[in-house]
Amino acid sequence: QVQLVESGGGLVQPGGSLRVSCAVIGSINSLNDMGWYRQAPGKQRELVAGFNSQGITYYGDSVEGRFTISRDVAKKTLYLQIDSLKPEDTAVYYCNSVPNSIYYWGQGTQVTVSS
């Protein structure tokens, strides 16, 4: 059984940066096919960044150039560096498998962008 534990969110001013983390607890073969989602208030959850089956990164159009996904395989941890934050980036950020989420969702980590 895999457990996903997100952390690192917070309140940030527009234009600021933040790095969120996702610890993957339990048996998992690799961090390929893993990524980050977010859910803004009143909106559906969307995929924003991920590693494909070959470990190549990809991003959603709305975050391209501002978000950077990385990972520490030894620590079984995913990271999402978020730069040039905008108010519309306000959301709960989650990690899960991509492109289909097959694990139980963690609690997520709240990112709020506001002055």
Side-chain angles (χ1 to χ4, degrees):
Q1 184 175 352
V2 172
Q3 183 181 2
L4 305 170
V5 181
E6 299 91 350
S7 62
L11 173 63
V12 186
Q13 291 188 341
S17 297
L18 198 64
R19 189 178 80 158
V20 294
S21 303
C22 168
V24 181
I25 300 170
S27 179
I28 188 169
N29 291 330
S30 76
L31 294 182
N32 289 346
D33 293 319
M34 290 291 293
W36 285 94
Y37 300 76
R38 69 182 179 185
Q39 186 166 22
K43 295 187 177 181
Q44 288 190 334
R45 194 170 289 166
E46 64 169 335
L47 174 62
V48 296
F51 287 98
N52 68 10
S53 61
Q54 296 177 324
I56 298 171
T57 59
Y58 59 91
Y59 300 91
D61 291 340
S62 62
V63 307
E64 185 79 46
R66 298 190 299 118
F67 286 25
T68 304
I69 188 172
S70 62
R71 61 190 178 179
D72 185 326
V73 175
K75 294 182 179 179
K76 292 198 297 184
T77 300
L78 285 172
Y79 303 99
L80 186 68
Q81 176 71 35
I82 311 173
D83 297 319
S84 303
L85 277 157
K86 305 176 181 180
E88 52 263 41
D89 294 321
T90 295
V92 180
Y93 286 72
Y94 303 87
C95 65
N96 211 311
S97 59
V98 296
N100 301 306
S101 55
I102 65 172
Y103 302 119
Y104 287 112
W105 293 98
Q107 82 288 351
T109 187
Q110 174 72 49
V111 173
T112 302
V113 184
S114 175
S115 55

